[in-house]
Amino acid sequence: MTTNSVSTPTLPTGISVQDLTQFCDDYLSAGAFKDYAPNGLQVDGGRPVQRIVTGVTACEALIDAAIAENADVIMVHHGYFWKGEPAPITEMKGRRIRKLMQHGISMIGYHLPLDAHPIIGNNAKLAELLNLTITGALYPHESHPVGNITTCQPQSAGSLIAHITQVLGRKPLHISANYHASHDTKKLIENERMIERIGICTGGAQDMIEQAATMGCDAFISGEISERTTHIARELGIDYFACGHHATERGGIEALGHVLADHFALPVTFIDIENPA
């Protein structure tokens, strides 16, 4: 677990969690998204906000870390109450929410709004990290597109892998477009090709690879990979880089914390719970 604190003087009384949530709702245009979980305030801890902890996922380890930080709010990208999950607040879910309530900690979560924000969103921050220039949307008809098209200096897959490894701290899984299977050898033929136009969408967006190919991208970057992704990349002739769901989605929530620290003059600590997935 690593932390990166933004230290500012603590206000004597803090602000209400409702005011904090309203600011984030407006800043992220949360109401414009049809999402898989509620965006905004998910658990009301019932006390003013004087200290905030941010993190990618609202796991128990993050809650424990927030308790140790004496935080009043945890703000995350992956919160609670996802569509299709069991409704009863029991077992693991019960333990998590019980800890929040016992310590008066509120939980605020933003999913797609934090992916899509053009300045501090996950895709925007990932593009910035990788020195990619956003030129458009993967789905240009959408009013708040989640995936993007980017460009970079022409480079080989090996060069891109090295850069991703350096900035994200993990080596991506690469599926090469240069695959030609014969009935005799089924060998991977690595003819060097330059990559310049790259589709990106963080997290579990591997199935957007077909749209990236349709939009003329040389490669697609996301977090996860499915069995089918390998075949799609090879058959459509597009390189795929699976860079880790967690690793590709640290940037947005940390950047949102900086925005809140500046706007409300509150101390905000980003806590990164290690996750290889």
Side-chain angles (χ1 to χ4, degrees):
M1 178 182 73
T2 58
T3 64
N4 184 12
S5 297
V6 179
S7 297
T8 55
T10 303
L11 296 179
T13 57
I15 61 170
S16 74
V17 69
Q18 287 77 18
D19 285 346
L20 176 64
T21 304
Q22 187 62 58
F23 173 84
C24 293
D25 283 353
D26 294 341
Y27 184 82
L28 298 172
S29 301
F33 292 85
K34 183 178 180 181
D35 214 331
Y36 312 103
N39 288 300
L41 184 60
Q42 296 183 347
V43 178
D44 187 347
R47 69 186 190 195
V49 181
Q50 298 185 73
R51 183 175 295 274
I52 301 170
V53 157
T54 61
V56 178
T57 300
C59 60
E60 191 171 12
L62 182 62
I63 295 172
D64 290 340
I67 292 169
E69 289 281 329
N70 196 30
D72 307 295
V73 167
I74 300 173
M75 189 169 293
V76 295
H77 178 50
H78 301 134
Y80 297 153
F81 310 113
W82 297 90
K83 290 181 181 178
E85 75 174 27
I89 303 175
T90 59
E91 300 178 348
M92 180 179 70
K93 184 194 292 187
R95 289 195 306 272
R96 291 172 170 181
I97 294 178
R98 187 160 53 249
K99 280 191 175 183
L100 291 172
M101 299 301 290
Q102 287 172 344
H103 291 86
I105 300 175
S106 297
M107 171 72 71
I108 300 174
Y110 291 98
H111 185 231
L112 292 182
L114 195 56
D115 288 322
H117 194 275
I119 299 171
I120 60 99
N122 285 321
N123 290 304
K125 300 308 290 185
L126 181 63
E128 181 181 308
L129 273 176
L130 297 179
N131 297 326
L132 306 175
T133 300
I134 294 176
T135 60
L138 272 178
Y139 296 89
H141 63 280
E142 294 182 350
S143 57
H144 293 82
V146 175
N148 296 102
I149 296 172
T150 70
T151 59
C152 64
Q153 290 296 320
Q155 59 187 293
S156 67
S159 175
L160 186 54
I161 288 169
H163 187 51
I164 292 170
T165 302
Q166 179 184 15
V167 299
L168 295 185
R170 57 172 288 160
K171 185 176 181 179
L173 191 158
H174 172 228
I175 304 299
S176 176
N178 297 324
Y179 179 89
H180 301 280
S182 73
H183 295 294
D184 298 324
T185 62
K186 292 195 170 52
K187 290 181 179 179
L188 181 65
I189 302 172
E190 291 290 355
N191 298 317
E192 196 72 25
R193 68 192 289 266
M194 292 293 102
I195 293 172
E196 184 175 6
R197 183 175 168 91
I198 303 173
I200 63 169
C201 192
T202 63
Q206 61 268 41
D207 285 336
M208 288 187 184
I209 187 173
E210 293 190 58
Q211 178 66 9
T214 298
M215 297 297 288
C217 294
D218 306 312
F220 183 58
I221 292 174
S222 190
E224 299 183 11
I225 185 168
S226 299
E227 191 273 345
R228 61 186 172 273
T229 315
T230 298
H231 304 295
I232 293 171
R234 290 171 176 171
E235 292 175 34
L236 293 181
I238 179 170
D239 283 77
Y240 182 66
F241 300 86
C243 302
H245 195 134
H246 178 88
T248 58
E249 297 197 325
R250 290 190 295 245
I253 193 66
E254 185 173 13
L256 180 59
H258 290 300
V259 171
L260 299 178
D262 291 341
H263 184 81
F264 291 106
L266 290 173
V268 180
T269 304
F270 173 69
I271 298 179
D272 188 22
I273 305 298
E274 183 181 4
N275 188 335

